């Protein structure tokens, strides 16, 4: 069995940003030498998420609106008594889930025709990390 | 280490449908020969999900109502400017999550007494695929 | 490849309770002897969840409020016709997701600085189980 670990670093220009990461994951799978197995990818922060969906600008804006509706900013969260102002970012991270597993077949991510992987930042403008762990043969 | 890959195809009669898939997953685990490991299962489409919960008709209808409330159809999503009308199906898929990992112990899915695995279709009536990837010893 | 399986049992004092489980998972990783791989952790019940976020009391109360808002109790769910009264617990479990995968590097959970793992109970006061499955080298 092979294992491969890689860390990505993101520093987004905006507080909230959705970043396509499929190409970086494909590169990691190629470097791992794994032909058949699983590619696990996880935000290492509690105000970001990893998700899989369509690369379509309108839909990405819809997802951002939907997250804001179900996990709104501008609320007087208890968490803000610590001096933080990012309570909504924690809830948005929980809603989308901070990690994702992807199948690897014949040395490539085994995704459907429209599946793309995204890093969703909800409290950016500073360095944050993502861990990739690939297991397989 | 063994790896095993299988694809399931679904073409639901209705646009939205929740389909029990535990038996097909148990069969895949048996075919894989894996005694101890993980069974990963993922929709390969961005308008479907995999989830684990109870096989109880009332609860399944409750889940459908709840998904419609938190990710409603009939909204003028930006995604619809592309000619699509399935914006809600993308959001429902994100809410339930498109993939799931299941433990395998002694050659069987190691589920709790009421845990069943479901394929949730939100934009059906056409062929859609699910990938199963089993890793273990 | 090594595999390791362990079951945790929880009986919470309250119906709803959020329990930190990072120390128990770290112990399981140490016992497994796995240096590099994945640690999968899953509730074996359909009214509980596993999630990763911050160990901060205010935020934990915010998460509880948020779950209650998006998946409210006191609703006349169809599931209650079976004699159950825990429809909301099923929806809360779906919202947070019942399972989580964690990376293992150099024999330890490879978590970010504020990432902690929690067992979220939504229908407690009775014995419930969590399964841990660790795979790696």
């Amino acid at each position: 069995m092979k294992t491969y670990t890689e860390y990505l670093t993101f520093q987004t220009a905006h507080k909230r940003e959705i970043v396509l990461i499929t190409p970086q994951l494909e590169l990691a799978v190629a470097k791992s030498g794994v032909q058949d197995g699983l590619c696990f990818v996880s935000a290492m922060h509690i105000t970001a998420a990893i998700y899989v969906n369509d690369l379509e600008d309108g839909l990405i804006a819809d997802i951002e609106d939907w997250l804001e509706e179900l996990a709104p900013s501008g609320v007087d969260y208890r968490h803000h008594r610590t001096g933080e102002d990012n309570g909504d970012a924690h809830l948005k991270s929980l809603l989308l889930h901070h990690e994702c597993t992807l199948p690897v077949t014949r040395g490539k991510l085994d995704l459907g025709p429209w599946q793309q992987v995204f890093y969703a930042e909800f409290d950016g403008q500073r360095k944050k990390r993502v861990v990739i762990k690939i297991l397989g043969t």
Side-chain angles (χ1 to χ4, degrees), chain A:
Chain A
M1 193 189 68
K2 286 179 182 189
T3 63
Y4 176 82
T5 308
E6 188 175 327
Y7 302 90
L8 305 178
T9 302
F10 295 92
Q11 181 156 3
T12 57
H14 305 98
K15 189 168 183 179
R16 292 182 215 158
E17 211 165 310
I18 289 180
V19 184
L20 177 73
I21 59 169
T22 319
Q24 285 156 286
L25 297 177
E26 286 287 14
L27 202 59
V29 171
K31 283 192 270 182
S32 75
V34 169
Q35 290 295 307
D36 198 24
L38 296 174
C39 173
F40 167 80
V41 52
S42 176
M44 300 186 80
H45 291 260
I46 51 194
T47 51
I50 303 292
Y51 78 88
V52 171
N53 215 283
D54 200 355
L55 176 60
E56 195 276 298
D57 286 349
L59 182 71
I60 290 172
D62 290 331
I63 291 170
E64 288 174 328
D65 286 357
W66 178 70
L67 290 167
E68 181 61 18
E69 200 181 312
L70 293 190
S73 57
V75 170
D76 184 25
Y77 293 110
R78 287 185 189 83
H79 185 50
H80 296 176
R81 296 178 196 165
T82 63
E84 295 281 357
D85 66 351
N86 61 0
D88 70 298
H90 291 268
L91 302 180
K92 287 176 170 92
S93 163
L94 290 173
L95 187 55
L96 277 194
H97 217 57
H98 75 287
E99 51 90 336
C100 189
T101 301
L102 306 161
V104 175
T105 306
R106 285 186 294 278
K108 288 181 182 300
L109 290 177
D110 195 354
L111 299 173
W114 299 280
Q115 286 186 313
Q116 297 285 347
V117 192
F118 296 90
Y119 171 72
E121 175 63 81
F122 304 119
D123 191 19
Q125 297 170 319
R126 53 201 170 102
K127 273 191 191 165
K128 292 172 85 168
R129 291 201 305 161
V130 164
V131 54
I132 306 168
K133 180 82 70 174
I134 303 167
L135 258 76
T137 52

